[in-house]
């Protein structure tokens, strides 16, 4: 309802999409954390999925696990890429609709 606030919000959305959802920037951070916790995940005896699923969940092909969630699983990289494309498209469409 307030054009100045809408524009400020869309600027934040663009900033997040352009800078933080770019896998060239997000990927190294995610890989560092992934490596940091990998041995703990492997040792966990009560985890909800396999260690192999954890390994492929960063950049690989992720198979949906029956009975969990909506039935569609994607890697963190695929999620970031898809979300980035959506947010950039959304913010551009909202900007041009004014």
């Amino acid at each position: 309802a307030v054009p100045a606030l809408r524009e400020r919000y869309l600027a934040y959305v663009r900033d997040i999409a352009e800078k933080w959802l770019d896998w060239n920037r997000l990927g190294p951070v995610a890989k560092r954390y992934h490596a940091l916790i990998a041995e703990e995940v492997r040792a966990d005896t009560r985890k909800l999925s396999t260690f192999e699923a954890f390994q492929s969940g960063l950049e690989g092909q992720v198979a949906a696990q029956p009975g969990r969630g909506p039935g569609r699983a994607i890697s963190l990289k695929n999620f970031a890429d898809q979300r980035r494309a959506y947010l950039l498209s959304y913010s551009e469409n909202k900007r041009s609709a004014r």
Side-chain angles (χ1 to χ4, degrees), residues 4-5 9 12 15 17 20 22-23 25-26 29 38 44 49 52 68 70-71 74 82-83 86 96:
L5 292 177
Y9 168 77
Y12 287 135
D15 183 58
W20 294 104
D22 179 4
W23 191 250
R25 186 171 193 166
L26 177 61
V29 174
D44 184 2
S49 60
E52 291 73 25
R68 296 179 194 207
I74 61 173
Q82 290 175 20
R83 192 66 180 166
Y86 171 78
S96 64

Side-chain angles (χ1 to χ4, degrees), residues 11-32:
Y12 287 135
V13 169
R14 280 190 302 278
D15 183 58
I16 290 168
E18 289 171 353
K19 294 179 183 171
W20 294 104
L21 289 176
D22 179 4
W23 191 250
N24 292 323
R25 186 171 193 166
L26 177 61
V29 174
K31 288 174 187 176
R32 269 197 317 272

Side-chain angles (χ1 to χ4, degrees), residues 56-98:
S56 65
L58 187 62
E59 293 182 272
Q61 297 297 321
V62 180
Q65 295 189 10
R68 296 179 194 207
R72 179 175 169 223
I74 61 173
S75 68
L76 182 61
K77 180 184 185 309
N78 287 340
F79 171 80
D81 291 343
Q82 290 175 20
R83 192 66 180 166
R84 181 175 195 254
Y86 171 78
L87 290 175
L88 289 173
S89 171
Y90 176 83
S91 64
E92 287 304 315
N93 287 339
K94 290 295 181 180
R95 181 193 274 179
S96 64
R98 288 183 298 140

